């Protein structure tokens, strides 16, 4: 711990508990003000590039890594939300594609297709498994035929997804035998 000598003179006049509360309050205010910033919602994947070009001269331009981080944070914040077939909101629960749509809309301002079948067909960059980056969409097929499941890669070999009826949104490791067996591919929508 630091002694009082490390704090500015005005801070040494306050008891330790008051200093902590003051610093905590200041930190909380900074965090809340950061959350209050707004950005224009994007209408669709097709308009994403257009909006980025339009925003290039404004103070609202966000670094791609910042958007990726916001996607990851939002996805992880939903861990524990109940699975609900057709669900698209945290209050009512999510299915896998509903989770994807909600996270990318809230965190990146992107409106993605609603179903997993539509999400596999989006015009986005295919990504090799060895080149996955946080925020990439990862696809699985556990039923034969077309893609049947989707998640958001969050880094370090892990992904967030809404797995199945009776389950909860959770984080799983991509390299487990089950997920390795059904892995189909990945796409990068944040470019």
């Amino acid at each position: 711990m630091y002694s009082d000598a490390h704090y500015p003179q005005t801070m040494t006049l306050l008891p330790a508990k008051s200093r902590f509360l003051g610093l905590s309050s200041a930190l909380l205010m900074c965090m809340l003000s950061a959350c209050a910033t707004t950005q224009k919602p994007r209408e669709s994947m097709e308009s994403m590039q257009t909006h980025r070009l339009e925003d290039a001269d404004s103070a609202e331009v966000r670094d791609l890594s910042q958007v990726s981080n916001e996607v990851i944070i939002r996805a992880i914040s939903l861990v524990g939300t109940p699975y609900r077939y057709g669900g698209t909101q945290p209050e009512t629960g999510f299915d896998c594609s509903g989770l994807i749509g909600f996270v990318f809309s809230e965190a990146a301002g992107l409106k993605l297709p609603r179903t997993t079948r539509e999400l596999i067909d989006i015009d986005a960059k295919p990504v090799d498994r060895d080149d996955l980056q946080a925020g990439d969409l990862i696809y699985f097929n556990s039923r034969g035929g077309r893609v049947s499941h989707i998640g958001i890669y969050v880094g370090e070999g892990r992904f967030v997804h809404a797995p199945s009826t009776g389950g909860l949104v959770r984080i799983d490791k991509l390299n487990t035998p089950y997920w390795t067996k059904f892995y189909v591919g990945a796409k990068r929508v944040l470019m």
Side-chain angles (χ1 to χ4, degrees), residues 53-117:
L53 293 174
E54 290 171 3
D55 290 345
D57 295 330
S58 75
E60 294 182 22
V61 174
R62 297 187 298 168
D63 183 283
L64 189 56
S65 64
Q66 181 183 358
V67 174
S68 178
N69 285 340
E70 289 174 22
V71 165
I72 296 162
I73 290 167
R74 189 64 178 130
I76 292 172
S77 76
L78 296 166
V79 168
T81 304
Y83 178 92
R84 178 173 172 240
Y85 181 78
T88 60
Q89 297 294 318
E91 301 80 22
T92 56
F94 293 107
D95 63 10
C96 64
S97 58
L99 174 67
I100 302 300
F102 180 83
V103 167
F104 278 85
S105 175
E106 291 284 311
L110 293 176
K111 183 178 180 184
L112 297 177
R114 171 61 188 98
T115 68
T116 303
R117 287 187 180 128

Side-chain angles (χ1 to χ4, degrees), residues 15-40:
K17 184 176 181 181
S18 295
R19 282 195 310 263
F20 176 76
L21 291 174
L23 291 172
S24 298
S25 297
L27 180 59
L28 180 61
M29 292 304 292
C30 289
M31 290 171 57
L32 289 175
S33 66
C35 292
T37 61
T38 59
Q39 178 181 7
K40 293 188 286 187

Side-chain angles (χ1 to χ4, degrees), residues 161-181:
H161 64 123
S164 61
T165 303
L168 302 172
V169 172
R170 67 183 193 214
I171 298 175
D172 275 333
K173 291 184 178 180
L174 188 56
N175 67 353
T176 63
Y178 180 85
W179 294 114
T180 298
K181 178 180 178 182

Side-chain angles (χ1 to χ4, degrees), residues 45 71 75 96-97 99-104 110 112-113 115-116 118-129 132-140 147 149-154 158-160 174 183-190:
M45 287 296 296
V71 165
C96 64
S97 58
L99 174 67
I100 302 300
F102 180 83
V103 167
F104 278 85
L110 293 176
L112 297 177
T115 68
T116 303
E118 293 170 320
L119 284 164
I120 190 64
D121 293 329
I122 61 173
D123 184 22
K125 179 185 175 185
V127 179
D128 289 333
R129 187 172 175 157
L132 286 171
Q133 292 180 6
D136 288 346
L137 299 179
I138 53 176
Y139 302 93
F140 302 93
V147 168
H149 190 62
I150 188 169
I152 301 170
Y153 186 73
V154 295
R158 299 170 302 146
F159 66 103
V160 172
L174 188 56
Y183 179 83
V184 172
K187 288 190 176 181
R188 183 163 299 144
V189 296
L190 299 175

